[in-house]
Amino acid sequence: MSPKSWLRSFHTAPDPASRPVQLVCFPHAGGSAGYFVPLSAQLSGVSEVLAVQYPGRQDRWHEPAIDDLGELAEHVVRALGPARNGGPLALFGHSMGALVAYEVARRLAPARLYVSACPAPSRGVEATEGIRDDADLIADVRRLNGTDTGLLSDPAMLELILPALRADYHAVRTYQWHPGSEPYCPVRVLTGSRDSDTPPHVVRDWKRHTTGECRFHEYEGGHFYLTEHTRRIADLLAADLAQAVH
């Protein structure tokens, strides 16, 4: 797999000579880099936004999906090497992507780590424990309301997207946090007020996973609250990234 295949850029970045912050975004289980197009548009004048494209979906559908979060993190670390612009690095992960971003942060030294809609790594992700087969998996995707239900009802589309979904859910279900070095950068934890998968008691432990400052931000909405509050979240990131530069 070519390192270039892992990262997508959707909008013109600020002048490279200014060494802007690079914000690398990690999508949810079953998700793709395109999920972050709206956020990239809002931040195009502030930072260089890159989105991770996992194999097994969209233009990478012909590649085998990876079902191990640590392996995903290693691939992203290698892809980021030649992509760095010399400016500060920040990571933003949503749901499963938050765990991948965290594992990347353990391997690199980002200026900020943003984790969205995800329990703390040391708690595990309990919501996937009852998923035994494809029917359970599809029901869970419907419950979270983050995928077009038309795709889930189309047998031909399901045949295309199920391999990636199976791999992603397996990766989350089998992820095991191991004590070790933690990111020393500030961590920002974002959640939806009606997201039953991330009640306060499972996200508060994120403060255990950084030696830096940890702040919590809640938005009205469910697991995919980000879709409804892109502008507000972009404002939060822009202000916080400005501090990371100085």
Side-chain angles (χ1 to χ4, degrees):
M1 298 179 188
S2 167
K4 293 182 179 179
S5 65
W6 284 85
L7 301 172
R8 300 288 180 274
S9 177
F10 301 110
H11 299 91
T12 302
D15 181 1
S18 67
R19 301 176 69 185
V21 176
Q22 281 184 308
L23 177 67
V24 182
C25 299
F26 299 74
H28 52 282
S32 64
Y35 181 70
F36 292 105
V37 168
L39 187 63
S40 173
Q42 296 286 351
L43 291 170
S44 61
V46 176
S47 68
E48 179 186 358
V49 180
L50 301 173
V52 175
Q53 185 77 301
Y54 307 132
R57 64 214 74 203
Q58 292 192 337
D59 58 331
R60 301 188 70 186
W61 67 268
H62 57 287
E63 300 177 47
I66 294 174
D67 63 1
D68 181 88
L69 295 187
E71 186 179 347
L72 282 172
E74 291 290 349
H75 278 289
V76 175
V77 168
R78 287 195 290 271
L80 279 173
R84 293 300 307 277
N85 65 7
L89 175 68
L91 309 175
F92 184 107
H94 182 72
S95 196
M96 179 190 86
L99 293 176
V100 185
Y102 164 75
E103 287 296 335
V104 171
R106 296 182 91 178
R107 292 159 169 79
L108 299 178
R112 290 289 190 278
L113 172 61
Y114 302 96
V115 291
S116 168
C118 185
S122 52
R123 299 196 65 95
V125 186
E126 300 171 0
T128 66
E129 292 178 355
I131 298 174
R132 300 174 297 274
D133 53 28
D134 286 349
D136 289 339
L137 190 157
I138 294 168
D140 194 61
V141 173
R142 289 183 183 276
R143 176 183 66 85
L144 294 174
N145 198 31
T147 300
D148 184 349
T149 55
L151 298 179
L152 301 176
S153 302
D154 183 332
M157 290 305 301
L158 267 181
E159 186 177 352
L160 288 176
I161 66 178
L162 268 175
L165 277 172
R166 293 186 192 114
D168 290 353
Y169 271 69
H170 181 270
V172 173
R173 186 165 55 245
T174 58
Y175 172 75
Q176 291 186 320
W177 174 78
H178 298 288
S181 61
E182 297 286 4
Y184 60 79
C185 64
V187 172
R188 308 296 184 236
V189 184
L190 290 71
T191 56
S193 61
R194 292 182 280 103
D195 182 0
S196 60
D197 288 354
T198 55
H201 71 279
V202 302
V203 296
R204 288 293 172 186
D205 280 350
W206 271 105
K207 63 181 180 291
R208 296 177 50 194
H209 297 287
T210 177
T211 58
E213 176 192 37
C214 188
R215 294 180 184 175
F216 299 85
H217 305 269
E218 184 178 275
Y219 298 85
E220 174 62 28
H223 194 68
F224 287 93
Y225 71 90
L226 178 61
T227 306
E228 306 165 41
H229 299 289
T230 303
R231 176 71 264 174
R232 289 182 60 198
I233 293 165
D235 288 344
L236 169 71
L237 296 180
D240 200 53
L241 291 173
Q243 294 181 12
V245 174
H246 301 293

